[in-house]
């Protein structure tokens, strides 16, 4: 069969599949835009290699590419190789949107893997929604989102804060100082923290937001000294994490009396700042590099072998890795069907994978992921000592702190 005819049949099959499940007109018009062809499955890789969040996003790029390499080496997906198209969105939301458009319309990728910040995810959303593509997002985030064009594999607040905030109150006290980078994620995440603190009789003694890339914390630290919180609750991201920890120590503050409790400080930022600056502070996440499981040993060993013996894995690179396997399983499940983003989305529901953190599963109700919350205390050697861990995987509830709203496969509904 000549290739024009084969492509025509592929496009017709895509159109047929789209019509039969009633996708909106825009998808039908663009049915030939993104489907696997030519014996390969093309995917876009959209993690910043430069700019203020490259400190963490480089590790997401690396973990994602490692998973693709492993899958291809083992025969690919139903005999097809995954072909990654890598872009550098440079920690800039507008560049994320521009590169996403190029990957969807130009390269015709059937899925994109990408983003650390919620600001960059929000910038990509209109692109994947308009062209009915699929965005695999591995980062912990604030919840309150229910896109039909995103698979969310990072933690939402009920998987990160639900146990953490009560644990902090019990062990350190009720006075919290909230510090975050100035964008949607820290503000929303801090709103959840405030809701929890109110239930626990706690108190917010200060709340401060600094620009992305901020590196001068002396005035914030002075306010912290003045207000004497029991806990500094941090959602500062990127390079700023390093500056904050170093300046905290230089100011003579003591983690045993006033620890930082973070949702965004991982082994990666600690490697950049030096373990002595993180020692004694706490992070809540579903994954730590020190977690003892055969799958994690394999993941860490493979990562070090590929990228160097000093490299660390972290709670965002792990989902960046396992979500590629969930994608593989979804495409595999499609078998002979045409491989289009909406079909991949449906095939991903209920997919399970034995990840380094434990068995994870995509919840068909909301396309978020069941995860294994843990609390870790940072050690001088740059690793976390795991001091609490959930005995079961925890259902993702993206609207958990906001009763009355619920995410469904058809979108947001009033409960
Ligand atoms: C984040 O912006 N979701 C870390």
């Amino acid at each position: 069969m000549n290739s024009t005819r084969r492509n025509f049949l592929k496009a017709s099959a895509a159109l047929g599949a789209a019509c039969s499940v009633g996708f909106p007109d825009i998808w039908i018009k663009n049915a030939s835009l993104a489907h696997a062809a030519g014996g390969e499955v093309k995917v876009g890789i959209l993690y910043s290699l430069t700019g203020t969040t490259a400190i963490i996003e480089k590790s997401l790029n690396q973990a994602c590419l490692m998973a693709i390499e492993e899958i291809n080496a083992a025969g690919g997906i139903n005999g097809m190789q995954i072909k990654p198209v890598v872009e550098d969105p440079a920690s800039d939301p507008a560049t994320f949107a521009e590169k996403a458009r190029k990957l969807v319309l130009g390269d015709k990728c059937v899925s994109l893997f990408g983003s650390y910040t919620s600001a960059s995810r929000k910038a990509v959303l209109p692109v994947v929604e308009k062209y009915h593509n699929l965005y695999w997002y591995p980062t912990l985030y604030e919840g309150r989102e229910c896109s039909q064009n995103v698979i969310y594999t990072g933690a939402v607040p009920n998987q990160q804060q639900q146990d953490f905030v009560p644990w902090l109150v019990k062990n350190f006290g009720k006075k919290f100082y909230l510090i975050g980078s100035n964008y949607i994620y820290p503000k929303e995440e801090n709103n959840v923290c405030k809701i929890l603190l109110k239930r626990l009789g706690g108190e917010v003694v200060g709340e401060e937001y600094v620009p992305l890339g901020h590196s001068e914390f002396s005035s914030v630290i002075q306010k912290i000294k003045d207000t004497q919180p029991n806990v500094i609750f941090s959602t500062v991201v990127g390079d700023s994490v390093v500056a904050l920890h170093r300046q905290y120590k230089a100011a003579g503050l003591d983690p045993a009396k006033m620890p930082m409790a973070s949702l965004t400080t991982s082994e990666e930022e600690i490697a950049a700042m030096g373990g002595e600056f993180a020692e004694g502070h706490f992070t809540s996440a579903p994954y730590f590099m020190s977690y003892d499981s055969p799958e994690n040993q394999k993941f860490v060993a493979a990562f070090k072998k590929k990228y160097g013996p000093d490299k660390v894995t972290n709670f965002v690179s792990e989902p960046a890795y396992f979500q590629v396997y969930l994608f593989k399983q979804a495409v595999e499940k499609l078998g002979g069907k045409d491989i289009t983003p909406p079909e991949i989305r449906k095939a991903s529901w209920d997919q399970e994978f034995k990840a380094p953190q434990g068995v994870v599963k995509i919840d068909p109700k909301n396309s978020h992921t069941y995860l294994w919350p843990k609390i870790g205390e940072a050690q001088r050697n740059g690793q976390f000592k795991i001091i609490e861990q959930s005995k079961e995987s925890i259902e993702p509830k993206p609207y958990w702190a906001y009763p009355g709203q619920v995410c469904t496969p058809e979108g947001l509904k009033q409960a």
Side-chain angles (χ1 to χ4, degrees):
M1 197 189 309
N2 71 37
S3 72
T4 314
R5 176 154 165 73
R6 195 164 50 234
N7 287 343
F8 172 76
L9 288 177
K10 279 257 181 204
S12 305
L15 195 58
C19 289
S20 67
V21 291
F23 284 105
D25 278 356
I26 183 79
W27 165 246
I28 293 170
K29 281 196 202 106
N30 292 291
S32 62
L33 283 180
H35 61 96
E40 62 185 23
V41 184
K42 217 190 260 186
V43 296
I45 315 296
L46 206 48
Y47 297 116
S48 301
L49 305 175
T50 54
T52 193
T53 50
I55 182 173
I56 184 86
E57 287 192 65
K58 270 186 197 165
S59 72
L60 312 189
N61 164 287
Q62 291 174 330
C64 174
L65 290 175
M66 185 171 94
I68 291 173
E69 199 174 289
E70 286 175 2
I71 292 165
N72 284 342
I77 313 178
N78 294 335
M80 292 177 292
Q81 293 281 291
I82 306 178
K83 179 153 191 267
V85 184
V86 178
E87 294 291 343
D88 174 14
S91 307
D92 172 48
T95 310
F96 265 92
E98 178 199 319
K99 301 282 186 190
R101 200 168 290 112
K102 181 245 175 207
L103 291 168
V104 169
L105 296 178
D107 298 303
K108 299 184 174 35
C109 296
V110 291
S111 280
L112 312 186
F113 299 101
S115 280
Y116 177 75
T117 69
S118 290
S120 57
R121 187 192 69 258
K122 293 280 187 198
V124 169
L125 269 185
V127 179
V128 290
E129 290 186 342
K130 180 168 181 187
Y131 298 110
H132 295 268
N133 212 285
L134 196 57
Y135 199 50
W136 295 73
Y137 179 64
T139 308
L140 57 118
Y141 89 106
E142 65 279 4
R144 294 187 95 180
E145 196 176 282
C146 187
S147 175
Q148 294 180 55
N149 299 87
V150 182
I151 304 289
Y152 305 83
T153 58
V156 282
N158 80 293
Q159 296 166 313
Q160 241 188 331
Q161 288 207 52
Q162 185 169 18
D163 295 335
F164 194 32
V165 172
W167 183 88
L168 290 165
V169 166
K170 186 168 157 226
N171 285 282
F172 294 98
K174 293 183 171 178
K175 283 165 65 181
F176 277 42
Y177 194 104
L178 311 181
I179 164 106
S181 297
N182 193 7
Y183 71 104
I184 182 172
Y185 162 75
K187 290 182 175 173
E188 286 281 339
E189 200 77 60
N190 280 342
N191 282 342
V192 175
C193 182
K194 284 186 236 173
I195 290 169
L196 284 172
L197 278 177
K198 198 166 168 196
R199 284 182 202 160
L200 296 162
E203 182 190 355
V204 176
V205 297
E207 183 171 358
E208 192 85 18
Y209 295 95
V210 298
L212 277 166
H214 191 71
S215 61
E216 174 45 62
F217 285 92
S218 55
S219 71
V220 180
I221 287 173
Q222 189 53 52
K223 285 182 198 166
I224 288 171
K225 282 184 167 173
D226 292 344
T227 51
Q228 287 293 309
N230 303 118
V231 173
I232 303 167
F233 192 76
S234 172
T235 46
V236 167
V237 303
D239 295 326
S240 304
V241 177
V242 174
L244 174 62
H245 281 77
R246 288 195 169 152
Q247 289 165 38
Y248 170 105
K249 192 172 172 70
L253 295 173
D254 180 1
K257 298 197 184 108
M258 191 196 290
M260 282 198 270
S262 176
L263 306 178
T264 47
T265 302
S266 77
E267 294 83 349
E268 209 68 48
E269 291 84 0
I270 295 176
M273 73 179 77
E276 69 272 30
F277 296 101
E279 188 178 13
H281 295 299
F282 298 91
T283 292
S284 168
Y287 172 85
F288 292 107
M289 184 175 173
S290 57
Y291 182 60
D292 190 15
S293 74
E295 293 75 27
N296 191 34
Q297 282 166 18
K298 191 168 155 243
F299 173 55
V300 170
F303 199 80
K304 283 175 175 283
K305 182 162 180 240
K306 185 165 170 58
Y307 296 113
D310 296 335
K311 286 286 179 184
V312 293
T313 55
N314 64 70
F315 60 76
V316 203
S317 68
E318 188 245 7
Y321 173 79
F322 76 63
Q323 69 175 10
V324 182
Y325 277 91
L326 291 167
F327 165 83
K328 170 200 180 255
Q329 290 175 196
V331 174
E332 218 157 43
K333 187 176 163 192
L334 290 178
K337 270 198 192 169
D338 204 52
I339 298 159
T340 60
E343 292 295 331
I344 298 169
R345 172 178 180 250
K346 282 189 291 165
S348 77
W349 293 338
D350 271 332
Q351 289 297 337
E352 282 189 14
F353 180 71
K354 219 173 196 190
Q357 67 173 274
V359 175
V360 297
K361 184 177 91 166
I362 297 178
D363 187 343
K365 292 198 294 297
N366 52 35
S367 297
H368 288 62
T369 306
Y370 280 75
L371 300 169
W372 297 81
K374 301 172 179 68
I375 298 172
E377 179 178 358
Q379 311 290 297
R380 185 162 275 257
N381 68 0
Q383 292 295 314
F384 285 91
K385 182 172 155 202
I386 298 171
I387 49 183
E388 296 278 332
Q389 56 185 313
S390 176
K391 291 187 180 55
E392 56 194 22
S393 69
I394 299 297
E395 181 186 346
K397 295 182 181 167
Y399 289 83
W400 167 71
Y402 300 92
Q405 297 184 310
V406 58
C407 182
T408 75
E410 292 77 40
L412 184 62
K413 296 257 164 74
Q414 299 304 315

